[in-house]
Each structure stands twice: as C-alpha cells, then as structure tokens.
Amino acid sequence: MESPANKKEQVQPTPEDPEKKKKKEEKAREKQLKKEKFLLKQAQQQAQQSSNASKKSEKKVVKRGGEDENPEDYVDPETPLGDKKRMARQMAKQYSPTAVEKSWYEWWEKSSFFVADANSSKPPFVIVLPPPNVTGALHIGHALTAAIEDTMIRWRRMSGYNALWVPGMDHAGIATQVVFQN
C-alpha cells in the first residue's frame, strides 16, 4: 500500500494549457485597462469640478458688480441726530449695533414711536412679561421669548396702538414651589 506522502510526490504539475494561460493574460490586461480607464475618468471629473468651481466664483464676482470692492460703499453716511437713518449702498459685512442703532433710535424717539397714545382709536395691546424661573437658570428660550415679545410690542406701538408690556408673575411658580418645599 502506498502512503499519502508518496502520492504527493508522484503527482507532477501538469504544464499549464496554453489556451488557459492566454485567457488568463487577456483577463489581466482587461483588468489593467479597466483600472486605467477608471483613473482617467476620475481625473477628468476632478478637473471638471475645479473648472466649474472657478466658473461659479467668476459668476459671483460678475454678479456683485466687479472684482474691485470699494470699502466706502459699506460705510453709512453721517445722519444728523433725529433724522431718519441714511443707509450705505451696500450692507456691511459685520453688524455694528452702535453704528446702526444710534441714528435709528434718535429718529424713533423724535417720531414719538415709543409714546403711548391714550386717545388712539385702536384697541389696547398688552403682553405680560413673565419673569425668569425661581431657579434663576435662564436659557435660550427666555431670550427668544423676550426678543419676540419686544418686537411685537414695538411694532404695535409704532403702528399707533396703545401698547403695554406688563411685568407679570412666574408662570411656573407654583410647580417650582412644590418641588423646593418637598
């Protein structure tokens, strides 16, 4: 009887069939061509994207009115106190409250926009301003609510309503008191 080790020694590697070898080489060439084609296509797409990006930025420059920006276009002209705010041709890149609100506020006061008119034919407009929670922990919701209420009151007052923003009581006071007492 022959042992398995002897069988391995007796098996001779058969020479590869020339047709199989040819097919294998052809597949390898096709694979290489596919890879090169993919890389070429990828390079073309990247080149096209970069050219599109530069075209878009050129369009933005043209749309804005040219490449040269004049910084003076963004500066508001001097406004005499009490006159309506004179605006620059272009909006400034950054908001400056002192520059913006100084002239507006003077004009609003001169125009009596903040003065309540008891003889107004329009109905009174009243909003209760809730104070912060008992815990004193303020969050963005408090700021948002106050900003919206402030805008509403100012708009109604400027529209001729007899507007009043009344400080109220803690809207969550009872529930908070229960939590703190127990």
Side-chain angles (χ1 to χ4, degrees):
M1 237 171 133
E2 289 183 27
S3 70
N6 289 343
K7 279 189 178 180
K8 282 184 185 176
E9 291 173 14
Q10 289 178 358
V11 177
Q12 295 176 354
T14 56
E16 210 174 295
D17 188 16
E19 233 175 86
K20 279 187 178 180
K21 190 175 183 180
K22 194 175 181 181
K23 282 184 180 179
K24 214 177 204 181
E25 288 173 356
E26 197 173 303
K27 276 190 175 182
R29 265 188 258 120
E30 285 178 10
K31 191 174 180 181
Q32 183 65 26
L33 284 172
K34 260 187 177 179
K35 189 176 181 181
E36 288 173 4
K37 190 176 180 182
F38 173 77
L39 291 173
L40 180 65
K41 189 175 181 179
Q42 201 174 27
Q44 288 173 342
Q45 285 176 343
Q46 287 176 348
Q48 187 178 12
Q49 286 175 348
S50 66
S51 70
N52 284 347
S54 65
K55 286 179 186 175
K56 283 182 183 178
S57 63
E58 288 172 14
K59 285 181 183 178
K60 283 182 182 178
V61 168
V62 170
K63 196 174 188 179
R64 288 183 188 149
E67 290 180 25
D68 299 328
E69 290 185 358
N70 186 359
E72 292 177 15
D73 289 344
Y74 298 98
V75 177
D76 291 335
E78 277 298 313
T79 304
L81 289 177
D83 285 357
K84 187 173 181 180
K85 174 85 171 138
R86 294 183 188 157
M87 304 296 289
R89 291 187 344 181
Q90 294 286 326
M91 183 180 277
K93 302 236 185 246
Q94 290 183 330
Y95 178 69
S96 170
T98 53
V100 173
E101 294 173 7
K102 180 181 163 189
S103 296
W104 279 117
Y105 205 85
E106 294 291 331
W107 179 66
W108 289 338
E109 284 182 334
K110 182 181 175 186
S111 301
S112 301
F113 284 139
F114 299 130
V115 177
D117 182 13
N119 299 324
S120 175
S121 61
K122 296 182 179 183
F125 183 79
V126 181
I127 295 179
V128 176
L129 169 68
N133 296 335
V134 173
T135 60
L138 298 178
H139 52 77
I140 193 70
H142 292 101
L144 178 62
T145 301
I148 291 170
E149 289 179 354
D150 181 50
T151 304
M152 291 169 58
I153 285 292
R154 287 176 189 247
W155 178 251
R156 291 297 178 142
R157 175 73 52 84
M158 292 170 128
S159 299
Y161 286 81
N162 191 7
L164 180 62
W165 199 7
V166 181
M169 58 176 45
D170 185 6
H171 55 287
I174 297 170
T176 307
Q177 184 178 352
V178 169
V179 170
F180 281 117
Q181 284 181 346
N182 293 334

